[in-house]
Amino acid sequence: MGRGRIDPGWGFVAPALVAIGAFFFVPVVASLLLSFTDFDVYAVARLDRLRFVGLGNYARLVAEPRFRTALGNTAYFVVVGGPLSVAASLGAALLLEAKVARWKGVFRTVFFLPVVTTLVAVAVVWRYLYHPRHGLLNLLLGVFGIGPIDWLGDPQWAMPAIILLAVWKNFGYAMILFIAGLQAIPESLYEAARLDGAGHLQLFRRITVPMLAPTFLFLGVLTTIGYFQFFAEPYVMTGGGGPLNATLSTGLLMYKQGFRWWNMGYAAAIAVVLGLVILAFSALQFRIEKRRSA
């Protein structure tokens, strides 16, 4: 390429770069700047009402019990729901890739259907399943002599109920990736290990898990990012974080502050903190995987 000439490749990537800049970097920078102001509904009409408050929004976050509750609920959802979702996906993938499995295509489709089903439609079904008097889950518990549980009305059970819904709805996507990873493992490795006397558990621990390490890392980061941002499940299932804020998530609190009470500056501060937490957890996962590989 001669001096002064532009590489033609930039012409192909320019539209994507413009879209990324317009819909990702610009909003991120705007949110960061907004978090240092008291931007609210009054400043929408008159920008002269907009004031710079520095770290005031962040100091308010530290002092607000509701934010700590939302952050704790979100961490609980991630720490419990994330591993459960990955474990369910891996279990389903192993079952479908077993040599004795039949109708694999049918089961893959059935397991993947919740991923592409809208949450509102799913919520209608699961709210019926969780009904304290007529729900299927309580009817099954009654068979074993266990009394009915108010799944969505009891603060003790509301978050586990949301986690169960999220795992059921999302595990199909990770299952497909695990199936692709399992199919990429050479069968010769298993045959050589069997000749050396390795059992099923040893095959899983010594071959399957190490060979799926890149898939585990990708799904771990992806699941962590998605679960930290969980919003729709409590918004639809528990009416916005109830009961007693037991299912109030950080994303839901950010929505309430920004679009219900119009405290946009405060909501932007919540978004920045949530983004930093997600970045820290993702970096930790990469660091752990790097040490394991070394």
Side-chain angles (χ1 to χ4, degrees):
M1 185 178 65
R3 182 176 299 178
R5 295 184 59 188
I6 300 177
D7 192 331
W10 286 105
F12 293 99
V13 301
L17 293 177
V18 171
I20 292 174
F23 297 103
F24 180 76
F25 289 107
V26 172
V28 168
V29 174
S31 297
L32 181 61
L33 296 177
L34 204 63
S35 68
F36 297 113
T37 70
D38 65 346
F39 189 87
D40 58 14
V41 66
Y42 301 104
V44 174
R46 293 183 55 182
L47 290 179
D48 60 326
R49 295 179 179 269
L50 180 65
R51 296 178 303 171
F52 178 78
V53 297
L55 298 176
N57 288 324
Y58 296 96
R60 179 182 168 190
L61 278 178
V62 174
E64 185 179 11
R66 185 165 48 185
F67 173 72
R68 294 195 295 269
T69 299
L71 192 59
N73 291 339
T74 303
Y76 175 32
F77 185 82
V78 173
V79 171
V80 177
L84 281 177
S85 181
V86 174
S89 304
L90 179 59
L94 290 172
L95 289 175
L96 290 178
E97 283 302 300
K99 293 182 178 180
V100 296
R102 296 292 183 269
W103 305 97
K104 295 182 179 182
V106 175
F107 283 106
R108 287 176 190 171
T109 303
V110 171
F111 289 157
F112 192 74
L113 278 178
V115 179
V116 297
T117 305
T118 61
L119 184 62
V120 175
V122 169
V124 172
V125 177
W126 278 78
R127 285 180 68 89
Y128 170 74
L129 294 177
Y130 285 143
H131 194 279
R133 298 182 62 183
H134 309 294
L136 180 61
L137 287 180
N138 281 334
L139 292 178
L140 292 176
L141 291 177
V143 174
F144 299 97
I146 302 176
I149 298 175
D150 189 1
W151 294 99
L152 299 178
D154 188 339
Q156 181 180 357
W157 290 103
M159 184 59 77
I162 295 295
I163 290 175
L164 182 60
L165 165 65
V167 170
W168 175 84
K169 190 178 187 310
N170 298 315
F171 87 97
Y173 174 76
M175 178 198 69
I176 297 298
L177 297 183
F178 273 128
I179 289 175
L182 289 171
Q183 292 176 348
I185 300 177
E187 183 63 27
S188 58
L189 294 178
Y190 292 109
E191 294 176 355
R194 292 190 189 98
L195 291 176
D196 290 337
H200 293 290
L201 183 59
Q202 290 177 317
L203 291 176
F204 177 75
R205 291 180 55 192
R206 302 299 183 182
I207 297 179
T208 304
V209 172
M211 293 297 290
L212 288 177
T215 307
F216 275 113
L217 177 62
F218 175 76
L219 289 175
V221 173
L222 199 67
T223 303
T224 299
I225 293 174
Y227 275 31
F228 261 115
Q229 299 179 75
F230 91 106
F231 161 81
E233 291 87 350
Y235 181 81
V236 175
M237 296 292 292
T238 61
L244 301 178
N245 291 330
T247 59
L248 179 66
S249 67
T250 310
L252 187 56
L253 178 62
M254 178 177 61
Y255 164 79
K256 288 184 175 181
Q257 290 288 343
F259 298 100
R260 182 173 297 180
W261 301 315
W262 285 100
N263 298 322
M264 301 297 294
Y266 187 60
I270 298 176
V272 171
V273 172
L274 181 60
L276 293 176
V277 171
I278 294 174
L279 181 63
F281 268 80
S282 300
L284 178 62
Q285 288 178 304
F286 277 106
R287 187 178 183 86
I288 293 174
E289 175 59 23
K290 184 177 180 180
R291 286 188 175 183
R292 191 203 64 80
S293 300

